[in-house]
Structure formats: C-alpha cells, structure tokens
Amino acid sequence: MIRTYCEIADTARIKGEPVVHPLVLVAGYLSTWLVASALFAALTLAIYPFAAQGQMLDPVVGLAGAAALLVAGLYQFSGLKQACLKKCRNPFSVLFANWSTRPQRIFRLGMEQGIWCLGCCWALMLVMFAVGAMNIFWMALIGLFTLIEKQTQGRMASRLAGAILLVWAAALLLGSA
C-alpha cells in the first residue's frame, strides 16, 4: 500500500502537483488497526472472566472455541472476505480513485485501506481464542498464513484455511461432547 501510494505520489510530484506525505496515509491505516486491537482486547476481557482462575490466556474450549473456529472457517468462504482480500492485495484502484492533496482525506484513505485489510483478517484473529490468546506460535502461524493469502492469487489459500478451520471446529465439538 505504501509503495503504491509513493508511486502515485511520485507521478503527481513530477507533474508539479502537491503531495501529502505517506506517513499521513500510514497513520490512518494504523489508526484502524489500533481501534480493532482495542475491540479485540475488550472482547478478550469480556470472554475470559468465564475461564478458570489464572487461565486467562489459555485456549477457550468447548462451544466457545468451536464457535470461534466455525465463524473463522465460514468467513474464509464468504464473498465479503474475497472482496476485502482483493482490495487489500491491490490497493492501486482505491488509492488512485480517491487521490487527494488534503492531509485529512489521505488520513481517511489510510483508514479505509486499513478497513479493507482488517476485513481480510478479523475472522482469522478469532482463532486466537481457540488456541490461547498471546500464543506466540499461533500468532506467527496466522501471520504467516495471512501473508501467504495476501500474496497469492485466487481462492485456494482461503478455502484451504476455511476447510481446516471447519474440520477443527467439528473435532473440538466432538471432543468436548
């Protein structure tokens, strides 16, 4: 996104047009993720009082863990996931169509691009409830998968992840019955 913005900005600069610094775009993008992080933290704090004493960061098991995996798995097959992934993979059309020389508009553009990218990933972040919040291994694995998903074309990666998550949800339900 930043590289694409800078390429468009360089073209505008060559034409003698004013350009907003790319850090304004980045600040907008990061503000979206900051709000999302606060919401996920609030969700964590809301869910984990039901956990046993001292086990706040442990995996959520039973119906709650299966529900998180089910939602994440189903979302991987949704049209909304694919629409968000398309905008996140190729931000050129969004950035170019909404180009502005006003800093507040570029900040908002960064926020909008952050929303598209959050739309790709929010359901996968729910998996952290099923595997344990703050589990570094799973954070790295989900982060790596997200990178692969955004760098590859087509739906294969999303569908594969969705299938794995749905099977995992079913196994968790059967194991807790």
Side-chain angles (χ1 to χ4, degrees), residues 116-138:
W116 286 119
C117 292
L118 179 61
C120 298
C121 306
W122 72 268
L124 288 174
M125 292 176 190
L126 288 179
V127 173
M128 293 306 297
F129 290 107
V131 298
M134 303 305 291
N135 183 315
I136 298 296
F137 171 77
W138 284 101

mmCIF file with all atom_site columns, all heavy atoms in Angstrom, residues 116-138:
data_model
loop_
_atom_site.group_PDB
_atom_site.id
_atom_site.type_symbol
_atom_site.label_atom_id
_atom_site.label_alt_id
_atom_site.label_comp_id
_atom_site.label_asym_id
_atom_site.label_entity_id
_atom_site.label_seq_id
_atom_site.pdbx_PDB_ins_code
_atom_site.Cartn_x
_atom_site.Cartn_y
_atom_site.Cartn_z
_atom_site.occupancy
_atom_site.B_iso_or_equiv
_atom_site.pdbx_formal_charge
_atom_site.auth_seq_id
_atom_site.auth_comp_id
_atom_site.auth_asym_id
_atom_site.auth_atom_id
_atom_site.pdbx_PDB_model_num
ATOM 1   N N   . TRP A 1 116 ? -10.261 -2.386  4.750  1.00 0.00 ? 116 TRP A N   1
ATOM 2   C CA  . TRP A 1 116 ? -10.230 -3.480  3.764  1.00 0.00 ? 116 TRP A CA  1
ATOM 3   C C   . TRP A 1 116 ? -9.321  -4.601  4.249  1.00 0.00 ? 116 TRP A C   1
ATOM 4   O O   . TRP A 1 116 ? -9.678  -5.784  4.163  1.00 0.00 ? 116 TRP A O   1
ATOM 5   C CB  . TRP A 1 116 ? -9.754  -2.992  2.393  1.00 0.00 ? 116 TRP A CB  1
ATOM 6   C CG  . TRP A 1 116 ? -10.745 -2.176  1.638  1.00 0.00 ? 116 TRP A CG  1
ATOM 7   C CD1 . TRP A 1 116 ? -10.597 -0.880  1.225  1.00 0.00 ? 116 TRP A CD1 1
ATOM 8   C CD2 . TRP A 1 116 ? -12.040 -2.579  1.175  1.00 0.00 ? 116 TRP A CD2 1
ATOM 9   N NE1 . TRP A 1 116 ? -11.721 -0.459  0.558  1.00 0.00 ? 116 TRP A NE1 1
ATOM 10  C CE2 . TRP A 1 116 ? -12.626 -1.488  0.501  1.00 0.00 ? 116 TRP A CE2 1
ATOM 11  C CE3 . TRP A 1 116 ? -12.766 -3.763  1.264  1.00 0.00 ? 116 TRP A CE3 1
ATOM 12  C CZ2 . TRP A 1 116 ? -13.882 -1.536  -0.073 1.00 0.00 ? 116 TRP A CZ2 1
ATOM 13  C CZ3 . TRP A 1 116 ? -14.031 -3.818  0.692  1.00 0.00 ? 116 TRP A CZ3 1
ATOM 14  C CH2 . TRP A 1 116 ? -14.569 -2.719  0.034  1.00 0.00 ? 116 TRP A CH2 1
ATOM 15  N N   . CYS A 1 117 ? -8.153  -4.237  4.756  1.00 0.00 ? 117 CYS A N   1
ATOM 16  C CA  . CYS A 1 117 ? -7.203  -5.256  5.215  1.00 0.00 ? 117 CYS A CA  1
ATOM 17  C C   . CYS A 1 117 ? -7.704  -5.945  6.487  1.00 0.00 ? 117 CYS A C   1
ATOM 18  O O   . CYS A 1 117 ? -7.528  -7.148  6.647  1.00 0.00 ? 117 CYS A O   1
ATOM 19  C CB  . CYS A 1 117 ? -5.821  -4.648  5.409  1.00 0.00 ? 117 CYS A CB  1
ATOM 20  S SG  . CYS A 1 117 ? -5.071  -4.151  3.831  1.00 0.00 ? 117 CYS A SG  1
ATOM 21  N N   . LEU A 1 118 ? -8.339  -5.199  7.367  1.00 0.00 ? 118 LEU A N   1
ATOM 22  C CA  . LEU A 1 118 ? -8.935  -5.798  8.557  1.00 0.00 ? 118 LEU A CA  1
ATOM 23  C C   . LEU A 1 118 ? -10.037 -6.766  8.151  1.00 0.00 ? 118 LEU A C   1
ATOM 24  O O   . LEU A 1 118 ? -10.190 -7.831  8.762  1.00 0.00 ? 118 LEU A O   1
ATOM 25  C CB  . LEU A 1 118 ? -9.486  -4.699  9.471  1.00 0.00 ? 118 LEU A CB  1
ATOM 26  C CG  . LEU A 1 118 ? -10.176 -5.154  10.747 1.00 0.00 ? 118 LEU A CG  1
ATOM 27  C CD1 . LEU A 1 118 ? -9.214  -5.922  11.640 1.00 0.00 ? 118 LEU A CD1 1
ATOM 28  C CD2 . LEU A 1 118 ? -10.753 -3.958  11.482 1.00 0.00 ? 118 LEU A CD2 1
ATOM 29  N N   . GLY A 1 119 ? -10.767 -6.417  7.099  1.00 0.00 ? 119 GLY A N   1
ATOM 30  C CA  . GLY A 1 119 ? -11.809 -7.300  6.596  1.00 0.00 ? 119 GLY A CA  1
ATOM 31  C C   . GLY A 1 119 ? -11.274 -8.645  6.139  1.00 0.00 ? 119 GLY A C   1
ATOM 32  O O   . GLY A 1 119 ? -11.989 -9.648  6.168  1.00 0.00 ? 119 GLY A O   1
ATOM 33  N N   . CYS A 1 120 ? -10.027 -8.691  5.748  1.00 0.00 ? 120 CYS A N   1
ATOM 34  C CA  . CYS A 1 120 ? -9.393  -9.956  5.356  1.00 0.00 ? 120 CYS A CA  1
ATOM 35  C C   . CYS A 1 120 ? -9.057  -10.819 6.564  1.00 0.00 ? 120 CYS A C   1
ATOM 36  O O   . CYS A 1 120 ? -9.057  -12.041 6.466  1.00 0.00 ? 120 CYS A O   1
ATOM 37  C CB  . CYS A 1 120 ? -8.073  -9.698  4.626  1.00 0.00 ? 120 CYS A CB  1
ATOM 38  S SG  . CYS A 1 120 ? -8.212  -8.803  3.115  1.00 0.00 ? 120 CYS A SG  1
ATOM 39  N N   . CYS A 1 121 ? -8.725  -10.180 7.667  1.00 0.00 ? 121 CYS A N   1
ATOM 40  C CA  . CYS A 1 121 ? -8.042  -10.878 8.761  1.00 0.00 ? 121 CYS A CA  1
ATOM 41  C C   . CYS A 1 121 ? -8.827  -11.050 10.050 1.00 0.00 ? 121 CYS A C   1
ATOM 42  O O   . CYS A 1 121 ? -8.442  -11.858 10.883 1.00 0.00 ? 121 CYS A O   1
ATOM 43  C CB  . CYS A 1 121 ? -6.759  -10.127 9.101  1.00 0.00 ? 121 CYS A CB  1
ATOM 44  S SG  . CYS A 1 121 ? -5.694  -9.849  7.696  1.00 0.00 ? 121 CYS A SG  1
ATOM 45  N N   . TRP A 1 122 ? -9.891  -10.288 10.262 1.00 0.00 ? 122 TRP A N   1
ATOM 46  C CA  . TRP A 1 122 ? -10.534 -10.300 11.572 1.00 0.00 ? 122 TRP A CA  1
ATOM 47  C C   . TRP A 1 122 ? -10.974 -11.686 12.013 1.00 0.00 ? 122 TRP A C   1
ATOM 48  O O   . TRP A 1 122 ? -10.832 -12.055 13.177 1.00 0.00 ? 122 TRP A O   1
ATOM 49  C CB  . TRP A 1 122 ? -11.710 -9.320  11.632 1.00 0.00 ? 122 TRP A CB  1
ATOM 50  C CG  . TRP A 1 122 ? -12.913 -9.773  10.851 1.00 0.00 ? 122 TRP A CG  1
ATOM 51  C CD1 . TRP A 1 122 ? -13.203 -9.484  9.554  1.00 0.00 ? 122 TRP A CD1 1
ATOM 52  C CD2 . TRP A 1 122 ? -13.961 -10.623 11.318 1.00 0.00 ? 122 TRP A CD2 1
ATOM 53  N NE1 . TRP A 1 122 ? -14.369 -10.091 9.179  1.00 0.00 ? 122 TRP A NE1 1
ATOM 54  C CE2 . TRP A 1 122 ? -14.852 -10.800 10.247 1.00 0.00 ? 122 TRP A CE2 1
ATOM 55  C CE3 . TRP A 1 122 ? -14.227 -11.251 12.530 1.00 0.00 ? 122 TRP A CE3 1
ATOM 56  C CZ2 . TRP A 1 122 ? -15.995 -11.595 10.352 1.00 0.00 ? 122 TRP A CZ2 1
ATOM 57  C CZ3 . TRP A 1 122 ? -15.372 -12.041 12.630 1.00 0.00 ? 122 TRP A CZ3 1
ATOM 58  C CH2 . TRP A 1 122 ? -16.241 -12.204 11.551 1.00 0.00 ? 122 TRP A CH2 1
ATOM 59  N N   . ALA A 1 123 ? -11.514 -12.469 11.093 1.00 0.00 ? 123 ALA A N   1
ATOM 60  C CA  . ALA A 1 123 ? -12.014 -13.789 11.478 1.00 0.00 ? 123 ALA A CA  1
ATOM 61  C C   . ALA A 1 123 ? -10.864 -14.733 11.835 1.00 0.00 ? 123 ALA A C   1
ATOM 62  O O   . ALA A 1 123 ? -10.995 -15.545 12.759 1.00 0.00 ? 123 ALA A O   1
ATOM 63  C CB  . ALA A 1 123 ? -12.875 -14.378 10.370 1.00 0.00 ? 123 ALA A CB  1
ATOM 64  N N   . LEU A 1 124 ? -9.756  -14.606 11.129 1.00 0.00 ? 124 LEU A N   1
ATOM 65  C CA  . LEU A 1 124 ? -8.600  -15.430 11.485 1.00 0.00 ? 124 LEU A CA  1
ATOM 66  C C   . LEU A 1 124 ? -8.091  -15.080 12.879 1.00 0.00 ? 124 LEU A C   1
ATOM 67  O O   . LEU A 1 124 ? -7.566  -15.937 13.589 1.00 0.00 ? 124 LEU A O   1
ATOM 68  C CB  . LEU A 1 124 ? -7.480  -15.258 10.452 1.00 0.00 ? 124 LEU A CB  1
ATOM 69  C CG  . LEU A 1 124 ? -7.732  -15.894 9.096  1.00 0.00 ? 124 LEU A CG  1
ATOM 70  C CD1 . LEU A 1 124 ? -6.627  -15.531 8.115  1.00 0.00 ? 124 LEU A CD1 1
ATOM 71  C CD2 . LEU A 1 124 ? -7.855  -17.404 9.225  1.00 0.00 ? 124 LEU A CD2 1
ATOM 72  N N   . MET A 1 125 ? -8.258  -13.832 13.264 1.00 0.00 ? 125 MET A N   1
ATOM 73  C CA  . MET A 1 125 ? -7.835  -13.427 14.607 1.00 0.00 ? 125 MET A CA  1
ATOM 74  C C   . MET A 1 125 ? -8.694  -14.095 15.683 1.00 0.00 ? 125 MET A C   1
ATOM 75  O O   . MET A 1 125 ? -8.236  -14.279 16.811 1.00 0.00 ? 125 MET A O   1
ATOM 76  C CB  . MET A 1 125 ? -7.864  -11.915 14.739 1.00 0.00 ? 125 MET A CB  1
ATOM 77  C CG  . MET A 1 125 ? -6.812  -11.242 13.902 1.00 0.00 ? 125 MET A CG  1
ATOM 78  S SD  . MET A 1 125 ? -6.986  -9.465  14.008 1.00 0.00 ? 125 MET A SD  1
ATOM 79  C CE  . MET A 1 125 ? -5.864  -8.973  12.725 1.00 0.00 ? 125 MET A CE  1
ATOM 80  N N   . LEU A 1 126 ? -9.913  -14.456 15.341 1.00 0.00 ? 126 LEU A N   1
ATOM 81  C CA  . LEU A 1 126 ? -10.762 -15.189 16.292 1.00 0.00 ? 126 LEU A CA  1
ATOM 82  C C   . LEU A 1 126 ? -10.154 -16.540 16.666 1.00 0.00 ? 126 LEU A C   1
ATOM 83  O O   . LEU A 1 126 ? -10.427 -17.064 17.747 1.00 0.00 ? 126 LEU A O   1
ATOM 84  C CB  . LEU A 1 126 ? -12.160 -15.413 15.706 1.00 0.00 ? 126 LEU A CB  1
ATOM 85  C CG  . LEU A 1 126 ? -13.079 -14.215 15.582 1.00 0.00 ? 126 LEU A CG  1
ATOM 86  C CD1 . LEU A 1 126 ? -14.397 -14.636 14.972 1.00 0.00 ? 126 LEU A CD1 1
ATOM 87  C CD2 . LEU A 1 126 ? -13.295 -13.539 16.920 1.00 0.00 ? 126 LEU A CD2 1
ATOM 88  N N   . VAL A 1 127 ? -9.356  -17.088 15.771 1.00 0.00 ? 127 VAL A N   1
ATOM 89  C CA  . VAL A 1 127 ? -8.711  -18.372 16.040 1.00 0.00 ? 127 VAL A CA  1
ATOM 90  C C   . VAL A 1 127 ? -7.873  -18.290 17.312 1.00 0.00 ? 127 VAL A C   1
ATOM 91  O O   . VAL A 1 127 ? -7.727  -19.279 18.043 1.00 0.00 ? 127 VAL A O   1
ATOM 92  C CB  . VAL A 1 127 ? -7.859  -18.821 14.828 1.00 0.00 ? 127 VAL A CB  1
ATOM 93  C CG1 . VAL A 1 127 ? -7.035  -20.059 15.141 1.00 0.00 ? 127 VAL A CG1 1
ATOM 94  C CG2 . VAL A 1 127 ? -8.760  -19.064 13.625 1.00 0.00 ? 127 VAL A CG2 1
ATOM 95  N N   . MET A 1 128 ? -7.360  -17.102 17.617 1.00 0.00 ? 128 MET A N   1
ATOM 96  C CA  . MET A 1 128 ? -6.546  -16.941 18.824 1.00 0.00 ? 128 MET A CA  1
ATOM 97  C C   . MET A 1 128 ? -7.330  -17.288 20.086 1.00 0.00 ? 128 MET A C   1
ATOM 98  O O   . MET A 1 128 ? -6.744  -17.728 21.070 1.00 0.00 ? 128 MET A O   1
ATOM 99  C CB  . MET A 1 128 ? -5.983  -15.519 18.921 1.00 0.00 ? 128 MET A CB  1
ATOM 100 C CG  . MET A 1 128 ? -4.966  -15.183 17.858 1.00 0.00 ? 128 MET A CG  1
ATOM 101 S SD  . MET A 1 128 ? -3.588  -16.348 17.741 1.00 0.00 ? 128 MET A SD  1
ATOM 102 C CE  . MET A 1 128 ? -2.840  -16.171 19.345 1.00 0.00 ? 128 MET A CE  1
ATOM 103 N N   . PHE A 1 129 ? -8.653  -17.135 20.064 1.00 0.00 ? 129 PHE A N   1
ATOM 104 C CA  . PHE A 1 129 ? -9.444  -17.526 21.229 1.00 0.00 ? 129 PHE A CA  1
ATOM 105 C C   . PHE A 1 129 ? -9.444  -19.038 21.403 1.00 0.00 ? 129 PHE A C   1
ATOM 106 O O   . PHE A 1 129 ? -9.495  -19.539 22.519 1.00 0.00 ? 129 PHE A O   1
ATOM 107 C CB  . PHE A 1 129 ? -10.873 -16.997 21.123 1.00 0.00 ? 129 PHE A CB  1
ATOM 108 C CG  . PHE A 1 129 ? -10.966 -15.518 21.273 1.00 0.00 ? 129 PHE A CG  1
ATOM 109 C CD1 . PHE A 1 129 ? -11.217 -14.713 20.180 1.00 0.00 ? 129 PHE A CD1 1
ATOM 110 C CD2 . PHE A 1 129 ? -10.770 -14.920 22.509 1.00 0.00 ? 129 PHE A CD2 1
ATOM 111 C CE1 . PHE A 1 129 ? -11.295 -13.335 20.320 1.00 0.00 ? 129 PHE A CE1 1
ATOM 112 C CE2 . PHE A 1 129 ? -10.837 -13.545 22.655 1.00 0.00 ? 129 PHE A CE2 1
ATOM 113 C CZ  . PHE A 1 129 ? -11.092 -12.749 21.559 1.00 0.00 ? 129 PHE A CZ  1
ATOM 114 N N   . ALA A 1 130 ? -9.397  -19.771 20.305 1.00 0.00 ? 130 ALA A N   1
ATOM 115 C CA  . ALA A 1 130 ? -9.429  -21.227 20.367 1.00 0.00 ? 130 ALA A CA  1
ATOM 116 C C   . ALA A 1 130 ? -8.064  -21.832 20.699 1.00 0.00 ? 130 ALA A C   1
ATOM 117 O O   . ALA A 1 130 ? -7.997  -22.954 21.186 1.00 0.00 ? 130 ALA A O   1
ATOM 118 C CB  . ALA A 1 130 ? -9.944  -21.799 19.047 1.00 0.00 ? 130 ALA A CB  1
ATOM 119 N N   . VAL A 1 131 ? -6.988  -21.094 20.439 1.00 0.00 ? 131 VAL A N   1
ATOM 120 C CA  . VAL A 1 131 ? -5.644  -21.639 20.673 1.00 0.00 ? 131 VAL A CA  1
ATOM 121 C C   . VAL A 1 131 ? -4.945  -20.993 21.860 1.00 0.00 ? 131 VAL A C   1
ATOM 122 O O   . VAL A 1 131 ? -3.878  -21.432 22.265 1.00 0.00 ? 131 VAL A O   1
ATOM 123 C CB  . VAL A 1 131 ? -4.752  -21.523 19.408 1.00 0.00 ? 131 VAL A CB  1
ATOM 124 C CG1 . VAL A 1 131 ? -5.333  -22.332 18.268 1.00 0.00 ? 131 VAL A CG1 1
ATOM 125 C CG2 . VAL A 1 131 ? -4.535  -20.085 19.008 1.00 0.00 ? 131 VAL A CG2 1
ATOM 126 N N   . GLY A 1 132 ? -5.512  -19.943 22.391 1.00 0.00 ? 132 GLY A N   1
ATOM 127 C CA  . GLY A 1 132 ? -4.915  -19.258 23.538 1.00 0.00 ? 132 GLY A CA  1
ATOM 128 C C   . GLY A 1 132 ? -4.407  -17.885 23.149 1.00 0.00 ? 132 GLY A C   1
ATOM 129 O O   . GLY A 1 132 ? -3.518  -17.770 22.301 1.00 0.00 ? 132 GLY A O   1
ATOM 130 N N   . ALA A 1 133 ? -4.984  -16.880 23.744 1.00 0.00 ? 133 ALA A N   1
ATOM 131 C CA  . ALA A 1 133 ? -4.547  -15.507 23.465 1.00 0.00 ? 133 ALA A CA  1
ATOM 132 C C   . ALA A 1 133 ? -3.086  -15.370 23.840 1.00 0.00 ? 133 ALA A C   1
ATOM 133 O O   . ALA A 1 133 ? -2.627  -15.945 24.816 1.00 0.00 ? 133 ALA A O   1
ATOM 134 C CB  . ALA A 1 133 ? -5.404  -14.523 24.253 1.00 0.00 ? 133 ALA A CB  1
ATOM 135 N N   . MET A 1 134 ? -2.348  -14.634 23.060 1.00 0.00 ? 134 MET A N   1
ATOM 136 C CA  . MET A 1 134 ? -0.934  -14.354 23.288 1.00 0.00 ? 134 MET A CA  1
ATOM 137 C C   . MET A 1 134 ? -0.032  -15.563 23.043 1.00 0.00 ? 134 MET A C   1
ATOM 138 O O   . MET A 1 134 ? 1.098   -15.596 23.487 1.00 0.00 ? 134 MET A O   1
ATOM 139 C CB  . MET A 1 134 ? -0.690  -13.788 24.688 1.00 0.00 ? 134 MET A CB  1
ATOM 140 C CG  . MET A 1 134 ? -1.486  -12.532 24.992 1.00 0.00 ? 134 MET A CG  1
ATOM 141 S SD  . MET A 1 134 ? -1.253  -11.213 23.784 1.00 0.00 ? 134 MET A SD  1
ATOM 142 C CE  . MET A 1 134 ? 0.432   -10.751 24.123 1.00 0.00 ? 134 MET A CE  1
ATOM 143 N N   . ASN A 1 135 ? -0.520  -16.557 22.332 1.00 0.00 ? 135 ASN A N   1
ATOM 144 C CA  . ASN A 1 135 ? 0.289   -17.720 21.990 1.00 0.00 ? 135 ASN A CA  1
ATOM 145 C C   . ASN A 1 135 ? 1.161   -17.340 20.792 1.00 0.00 ? 135 ASN A C   1
ATOM 146 O O   . ASN A 1 135 ? 0.663   -17.186 19.673 1.00 0.00 ? 135 ASN A O   1
ATOM 147 C CB  . ASN A 1 135 ? -0.621  -18.906 21.664 1.00 0.00 ? 135 ASN A CB  1
ATOM 148 C CG  . ASN A 1 135 ? 0.143   -20.173 21.370 1.00 0.00 ? 135 ASN A CG  1
ATOM 149 O OD1 . ASN A 1 135 ? 1.118   -20.168 20.647 1.00 0.00 ? 135 ASN A OD1 1
ATOM 150 N ND2 . ASN A 1 135 ? -0.327  -21.263 21.954 1.00 0.00 ? 135 ASN A ND2 1
ATOM 151 N N   . ILE A 1 136 ? 2.439   -17.174 21.039 1.00 0.00 ? 136 ILE A N   1
ATOM 152 C CA  . ILE A 1 136 ? 3.367   -16.676 20.020 1.00 0.00 ? 136 ILE A CA  1
ATOM 153 C C   . ILE A 1 136 ? 3.416   -17.590 18.797 1.00 0.00 ? 136 ILE A C   1
ATOM 154 O O   . ILE A 1 136 ? 3.446   -17.119 17.656 1.00 0.00 ? 136 ILE A O   1
ATOM 155 C CB  . ILE A 1 136 ? 4.782   -16.486 20.611 1.00 0.00 ? 136 ILE A CB  1
ATOM 156 C CG1 . ILE A 1 136 ? 4.759   -15.446 21.730 1.00 0.00 ? 136 ILE A CG1 1
ATOM 157 C CG2 . ILE A 1 136 ? 5.783   -16.120 19.537 1.00 0.00 ? 136 ILE A CG2 1
ATOM 158 C CD1 . ILE A 1 136 ? 4.382   -14.062 21.278 1.00 0.00 ? 136 ILE A CD1 1
ATOM 159 N N   . PHE A 1 137 ? 3.417   -18.906 19.008 1.00 0.00 ? 137 PHE A N   1
ATOM 160 C CA  . PHE A 1 137 ? 3.466   -19.834 17.879 1.00 0.00 ? 137 PHE A CA  1
ATOM 161 C C   . PHE A 1 137 ? 2.282   -19.611 16.948 1.00 0.00 ? 137 PHE A C   1
ATOM 162 O O   . PHE A 1 137 ? 2.439   -19.488 15.732 1.00 0.00 ? 137 PHE A O   1
ATOM 163 C CB  . PHE A 1 137 ? 3.495   -21.287 18.374 1.00 0.00 ? 137 PHE A CB  1
ATOM 164 C CG  . PHE A 1 137 ? 3.325   -22.279 17.259 1.00 0.00 ? 137 PHE A CG  1
ATOM 165 C CD1 . PHE A 1 137 ? 4.387   -22.570 16.408 1.00 0.00 ? 137 PHE A CD1 1
ATOM 166 C CD2 . PHE A 1 137 ? 2.101   -22.895 17.025 1.00 0.00 ? 137 PHE A CD2 1
ATOM 167 C CE1 . PHE A 1 137 ? 4.229   -23.467 15.363 1.00 0.00 ? 137 PHE A CE1 1
ATOM 168 C CE2 . PHE A 1 137 ? 1.935   -23.789 15.986 1.00 0.00 ? 137 PHE A CE2 1
ATOM 169 C CZ  . PHE A 1 137 ? 3.009   -24.083 15.151 1.00 0.00 ? 137 PHE A CZ  1
ATOM 170 N N   . TRP A 1 138 ? 1.069   -19.552 17.521 1.00 0.00 ? 138 TRP A N   1
ATOM 171 C CA  . TRP A 1 138 ? -0.127  -19.388 16.691 1.00 0.00 ? 138 TRP A CA  1
ATOM 172 C C   . TRP A 1 138 ? -0.195  -18.009 16.067 1.00 0.00 ? 138 TRP A C   1
ATOM 173 O O   . TRP A 1 138 ? -0.665  -17.856 14.943 1.00 0.00 ? 138 TRP A O   1
ATOM 174 C CB  . TRP A 1 138 ? -1.387  -19.711 17.482 1.00 0.00 ? 138 TRP A CB  1
ATOM 175 C CG  . TRP A 1 138 ? -1.547  -21.189 17.637 1.00 0.00 ? 138 TRP A CG  1
ATOM 176 C CD1 . TRP A 1 138 ? -1.256  -21.932 18.741 1.00 0.00 ? 138 TRP A CD1 1
ATOM 177 C CD2 . TRP A 1 138 ? -1.965  -22.107 16.624 1.00 0.00 ? 138 TRP A CD2 1
ATOM 178 N NE1 . TRP A 1 138 ? -1.483  -23.266 18.472 1.00 0.00 ? 138 TRP A NE1 1
ATOM 179 C CE2 . TRP A 1 138 ? -1.925  -23.396 17.187 1.00 0.00 ? 138 TRP A CE2 1
ATOM 180 C CE3 . TRP A 1 138 ? -2.380  -21.971 15.306 1.00 0.00 ? 138 TRP A CE3 1
ATOM 181 C CZ2 . TRP A 1 138 ? -2.287  -24.536 16.476 1.00 0.00 ? 138 TRP A CZ2 1
ATOM 182 C CZ3 . TRP A 1 138 ? -2.745  -23.097 14.602 1.00 0.00 ? 138 TRP A CZ3 1
ATOM 183 C CH2 . TRP A 1 138 ? -2.691  -24.356 15.176 1.00 0.00 ? 138 TRP A CH2 1
#
